[in-house]
Each structure stands twice: as C-alpha cells, then as structure tokens.
C-alpha cells in the first residue's frame, strides 16, 4: 500500500515526512501521536507560537484523511515559564531525561550550543527547503537559523529593535512636523547620530519637558539591543573570514563612553539598569521619556496594556543612529525559531517537521505577526491583506528589516554578550572608566573565549 507520506518522501530530495501506516485486512490503522511544544519568552500575545502548530496539525490530519489514512495528533503546549533562564534549563533537563518536547520555540542563539550538545536535529533533513512555503522565507532569516552549513531551524517570527522619539517633546525642543517625518531617512544616512541624541535629550531635560534622567531612557537589562550600540561605533560581532568573535577595543570604549556621557549629562540615570520593566513600559508609552530604544513588539504593549491610543501621532521610530564615522545606523533582528529536538521516535520527529513547515505558511504566520506586533518571515506576507493593511507591520518591515543583521550563532556568543554588558554596567555606574572597563573585558574574554576571540 502506498501511503500519503511515502509519496511525499519519494517526491522530495530532502526526505520529507514519512509515516507508514500499518494495515490490517487492507485497512489503515489509526496513528495517534502527541506533539509537545514549549515556547520560551512567550506571553498572552504570543499564543500563536503554539496555536499555529495546532492549526497545522488539523490541516495535516485532513490531508491524511483525504488520502485514506487516519492520523490523530494531540498538540500539548507550554509557555508559562518564569523567564528565559527557567525555559532553557527546563529544555536541557528534559532532554537529559529523555522527555524533551518535540518542538521548542526559542532564540536562534540557542542553535549553536544545542546543536553541539546533540539536543536538536537539522530541520533540513526532514523538509524540502525548495518547496512551498519554505522557498518563500526571507533568505537572511534562514541564514540566521542555520549553523555549520546546515539549516537547523525555521524562523518563527522576525522583529527589529528601533530607536523611538516622543513627538510632542521633539516639537517643543524645536523640531517641525516635517523634520520629525524626515528623521528615519536622516538616521539611515548617518546625518542624525548618537551625538544628536545626547543633544536633544539634554534640551528636553534642560527645558524641564522631562525629568532628570529621562532624556534618553534605555533598555533596563542586557539584551541584543546593546550590541547595536557597539555596531553604531564600528564594532563587529564576528569575523566573516574566520568565524571568530571580535572585540574591537576602540568601538567598545566609544560605546561605553556614550552611556557614561548620557549619565554625566543628566539625561540617563546612573541607577537605571534594573528598573522594573512594568515601570519602564508605562513611562515610555506615556511620554515621560523623550527618547528611548526598544523592540518592534513593544507596539503591542504600548497600544494595548499601556493604553496609547495614537501610536503614530505620538511616536516616531528609526534605526539605531550611528555613533561616529566608524559606525553605521543599524538594527538587530532576533528571530525566534522552531527547532526539532532529538527523539527516539523518528516518526514523531518527521511529523513535528511537517507541522512547523505548515505553520510557516504566510496566512498562519501573519496571525502571530499581527497579534504580537512581530514582523513576517516570508515575502508573500506582503501580499496577505491582513498583514499588508496593518500600518505597523508594513512600515516597520520596510523601514527596518532591510538594514537588520543578527547576533552570530556562535557557541560562545552568550559569554561574549554577558561580558560586554558587564563592562558596560561598570562604566555606566562609574565603577570604572570606559578604558578600564574595556581592559577588564579584554582580559575576561581572552580567558573565557580563548582561540574563539579576535582582539582588535
């Protein structure tokens, strides 16, 4: 008997899904599978990370039914983790115990360490990347979810991390509506830089439009956002020829100095790091801060929980400005990815692969993008009216994604990032000068990263 899955396997070079249904007296026996999905960093607005798999399961079951086979899939999802650390620990412990979820939704930065540890398997072994819908994914996102020459996962969403301006404050310090409208192009061209950020933030504080320390109101904890400021001053995260991480001491020093200057100018608080996130969201969404940086997904929080009725009337957004002539305006995209875990039941891996492929179809992914204020993963989403007619999705995609890069999928990048932020914090709080902080970072990176680091 030729099954639907065997036909799929024969029809693709990538060994797509193969489920051979046992037969008794010529009739296919029902196949029952439970597919578990764990999603990190997900709240109520991100429920489609799991719901999309359930939708895909329904579609796959219907396809089997029409092919004369019975497949029953139960999707069990979990996203109520206390934070990223708890999520990653839970996945690791479950894998060690042989009870890992079939699918994990996580940062692309987990691909390198989890691949090296054998926790996950390359998705390219189970799906045809040259067939719909995977052949329509943005190539740069597929590259971000690849490691060691293999496509390991599928991008689940995309985002970007822009710079924000409160329009009313900008007007009061002297900007016209036309000049505010021109800011995105000026930032992209390097005509509005981080030096201008400090100037405008200081005007807002000096004119008492915002409180001391609220002229420039950064992110309150470590995250990919701070790598953007390193790039603004000419820093590179990875050497393209050797694949090694890069510590550019001048760029790192200039990056740290910018935040020291912000504190000394009275536009950023010395004790800002560690501010409660709920407080931060409330303050930036109400105009208490003049300028700040954040993520594209913040749009959902500002216009939802924080009650900002007119986002576009109140806020302008741009790339992160260049810091000096050595750097560039930039933004980092930090897509989450669907990853397949190593399982003893190969059949379950094959089914899970088909589900994440179906969940990547434009209409399904657009539900997550619009619900959570993320950006799409494929070109065709611009032709989905539901997505294209959403002003935030359309403008953020056009303005930010063409300039976006990503943190490297390097097994030691997490350590690099932590040490970079540790140095920033010591300079920011005045514990060390920027030069002293960079010297300490250099010593610790050399000791921790060894031959995986280039120092410039």
């Amino acid at each position: 008997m030729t099954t639907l899955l065997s036909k799929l396997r024969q029809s693709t070079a990538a060994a797509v899904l193969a489920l051979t249904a046992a037969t008794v007296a010529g009739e296919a026996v029902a196949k029952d599978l439970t597919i578990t999905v764990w999603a990190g960093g997900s709240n109520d607005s991100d429920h489609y990370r799991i719901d999309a798999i359930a939708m895909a399961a329904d579609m796959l079951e219907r396809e089997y039914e029409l092919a004369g086979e019975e497949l029953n899939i139960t999707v069990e999802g979990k996203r109520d983790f206390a934070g990223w650390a708890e999520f990653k620990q839970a996945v690791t412990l479950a894998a060690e115990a042989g009870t890992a979820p079939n699918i994990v939704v996580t940062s692309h930065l987990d691909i390198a360490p989890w691949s090296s540890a054998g926790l996950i398997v390359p998705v390219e072994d189970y799906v045809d990347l040259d067939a719909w819908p995977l052949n329509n994914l943005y190539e740069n996102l597929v590259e971000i979810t690849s490691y060691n020459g293999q496509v390991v996962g599928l991008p689940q969403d995309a985002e970007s991390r822009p710079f924000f301006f409160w329009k009313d404050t900008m007007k009061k310090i002297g900007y016209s509506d036309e000049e505010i409208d021109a800011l995105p192009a000026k930032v992209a061209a390097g005509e509005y830089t981080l030096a201008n950020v400090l100037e405008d933030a200081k005007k807002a504080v000096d004119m008492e439009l915002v409180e001391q320390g609220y002229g420039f109101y950064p992110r309150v904890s470590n995250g990919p956002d701070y790598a953007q400021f390193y790039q603004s001053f000419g820093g590179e995260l990875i050497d393209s020829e050797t694949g090694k991480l890069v510590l550019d001491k001048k760029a790192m020093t200039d990056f740290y100095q910018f935040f020291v200057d912000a504190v000394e100018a009275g536009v950023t608080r010395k004790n800002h790091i560690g501010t409660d996130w709920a407080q931060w969201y409330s303050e930036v969404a109400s105009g208490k801060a003049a300028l700040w940086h954040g993520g594209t997904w913040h749009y959902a929080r500002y216009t939802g929980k924080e009650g900002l009725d007119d986002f576009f009337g109140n806020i302008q957004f741009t790339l992160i400005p260049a810091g000096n002539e050595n750097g560039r305006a930039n933004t980092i995209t930090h897509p989450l990815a669907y990853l397949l875990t190593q399982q003893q039941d190969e059949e379950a891996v094959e089914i899970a692969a088909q589900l994440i492929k179906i969940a990547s179809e434009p209409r399904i992914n657009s539900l997550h993008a619009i619900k959570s204020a993320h950006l799409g993963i494929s070109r065709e989403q611009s032709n989905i009216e539901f997505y294209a007619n959403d002003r935030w999705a359309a403008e953020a995609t056009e303005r930010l994604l063409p300039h976006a890069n990503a943190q490297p999928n390097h097994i030691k990048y997490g350590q690099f990032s932590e040490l970079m932020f540790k140095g920033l914090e010591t300079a920011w709080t005045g514990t060390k000068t920027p030069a002293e902080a960079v010297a300490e970072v250099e010593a610790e990176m050399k000791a921790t990263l060894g031959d995986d680091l280039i120092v410039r």
Side-chain angles (χ1 to χ4, degrees):
M1 176 180 178
T2 302
T3 67
L4 171 62
L5 287 171
S6 63
K7 291 177 182 177
L8 285 171
R9 171 172 276 170
Q10 294 165 7
S11 68
T12 66
V16 296
L17 175 62
L19 174 66
T20 304
T23 60
V24 177
E27 294 183 4
V29 174
K31 179 66 180 179
D32 298 320
L33 282 176
T34 296
I35 298 295
T36 53
V37 188
W38 289 4
S42 300
N43 53 40
D44 290 346
S45 66
D46 302 309
H47 64 81
Y48 276 108
R49 286 177 175 148
I50 295 171
D51 289 358
I53 299 300
M55 294 170 68
D58 178 69
M59 186 175 295
L60 193 60
E61 289 173 345
R62 291 170 185 270
E63 290 176 355
Y64 271 72
E65 181 183 6
L66 292 174
E69 301 175 36
E70 186 175 353
L71 173 64
N72 302 309
I73 304 172
T74 300
V75 175
E76 296 182 351
K78 178 178 174 60
R79 57 179 173 84
D80 56 339
F81 299 92
W84 277 110
E86 184 196 52
F87 164 75
K88 294 182 182 186
Q89 182 183 44
V91 172
T92 302
L93 292 176
E96 292 174 353
T99 58
N102 301 90
I103 299 169
V104 290
V105 189
T106 190
S107 162
H108 72 94
L109 294 177
D110 292 322
I111 288 175
W114 287 359
S115 291
S116 300
L119 270 63
I120 55 177
V121 295
V123 71
E124 70 172 35
D125 291 345
Y126 298 92
V127 297
D128 184 358
L129 297 171
D130 295 322
W132 177 263
L134 305 185
N135 60 359
N136 194 250
L137 298 176
Y138 288 119
E139 288 81 0
N140 64 329
L141 294 182
V142 175
E143 182 179 348
I144 292 169
T145 56
S146 299
Y147 180 63
N148 276 348
Q150 290 184 300
V151 180
V152 178
L154 296 180
Q156 191 278 321
D157 62 19
E159 42 96 309
S160 187
R161 292 161 190 257
F163 204 87
F164 294 105
F165 304 78
W166 192 259
K167 286 186 174 182
D168 186 58
T169 301
M170 295 297 286
K171 290 178 185 178
K172 288 177 180 176
I173 65 173
Y175 283 79
S176 66
D177 287 331
E178 292 74 20
E179 288 171 327
I180 293 173
D181 289 342
L183 276 173
K186 290 190 68 175
V187 168
E191 297 171 5
Y192 184 98
T193 69
L194 291 176
N196 300 114
V197 167
L198 293 184
E199 292 171 3
D200 289 340
K202 189 163 179 15
K203 288 178 184 176
V205 170
D206 289 347
M207 294 173 65
E208 298 184 347
L209 301 173
V210 296
E211 296 176 18
Q212 188 95 355
Y214 283 80
F216 170 51
Y217 211 58
R219 177 188 172 99
V220 301
S221 63
N222 191 15
D225 307 59
Y226 286 109
Q228 296 173 141
F229 290 91
Y230 176 54
Q231 293 180 153
S232 289
F233 288 98
E236 290 184 72
L237 297 171
I238 195 164
D239 179 66
S240 59
E241 293 185 5
T242 64
K244 295 184 178 184
L245 299 168
V246 178
L247 168 59
D248 184 320
K249 292 194 289 185
K250 185 179 188 315
M252 195 72 77
T253 303
D254 291 343
F255 156 39
Y256 289 177
Q257 187 65 55
F258 167 73
F259 284 89
V260 170
D261 291 344
V263 171
E264 291 179 349
V267 302
T268 301
R269 292 182 289 122
K270 180 180 285 190
N271 63 347
H272 177 81
I273 297 173
T275 299
D276 181 75
W277 271 110
Q279 173 188 332
W280 185 90
Y281 275 116
S282 174
E283 289 170 337
V284 299
S286 61
K288 187 170 183 178
L291 302 92
W292 69 99
H293 65 99
T296 47
W297 68 96
H298 287 185
Y299 175 85
R301 174 73 179 249
Y302 299 162
T303 59
K305 185 174 182 179
E306 304 306 331
L308 180 61
D309 292 330
D310 184 6
F311 176 90
F312 293 98
N314 285 293
I315 294 175
Q316 177 61 287
F317 70 99
T318 71
L319 297 167
I320 302 296
N324 56 27
E325 67 279 0
N326 298 320
R328 69 189 192 282
N330 72 98
T331 186
I332 280 178
T333 183
H334 184 225
L336 295 197
Y338 279 128
L339 304 180
L340 302 171
T341 62
Q342 181 72 255
Q343 301 280 334
Q344 289 187 346
D345 184 354
E346 183 70 6
E347 190 172 81
V349 180
E350 292 169 341
I351 289 289
Q354 286 301 300
L355 296 181
I356 65 175
K357 180 189 77 173
I358 295 170
S360 301
E361 293 184 8
R363 291 191 70 181
I364 296 178
N365 186 263
S366 292
L367 294 173
H368 167 72
I370 301 305
K371 172 67 176 179
S372 63
H374 281 81
L375 305 180
I377 60 173
S378 65
R379 292 180 294 274
E380 190 61 30
Q381 283 174 259
S382 295
N383 293 323
I384 303 295
E385 287 186 30
F386 177 65
Y387 183 88
N389 291 342
D390 183 90
R391 182 178 176 184
W392 175 244
E395 291 193 15
T397 298
E398 179 181 0
R399 191 176 302 178
L400 302 171
L401 279 190
H403 304 275
N405 69 108
Q407 298 169 107
N409 286 342
H410 191 287
I411 193 168
K412 293 185 178 180
Y413 179 75
Q415 295 164 295
F416 178 96
S417 175
E418 289 297 327
L419 289 172
M420 178 171 66
F421 185 73
K422 178 183 175 183
L424 172 62
E425 191 170 10
T426 61
W428 187 326
T429 58
T431 305
K432 287 181 170 62
T433 67
E436 290 170 342
V438 171
E440 184 173 76
V441 168
E442 179 184 3
E444 292 188 358
M445 282 190 176
K446 284 180 175 178
T448 304
L449 307 178
D451 291 339
D452 288 302
L453 179 71
I454 294 174
V455 179
R456 294 175 181 166

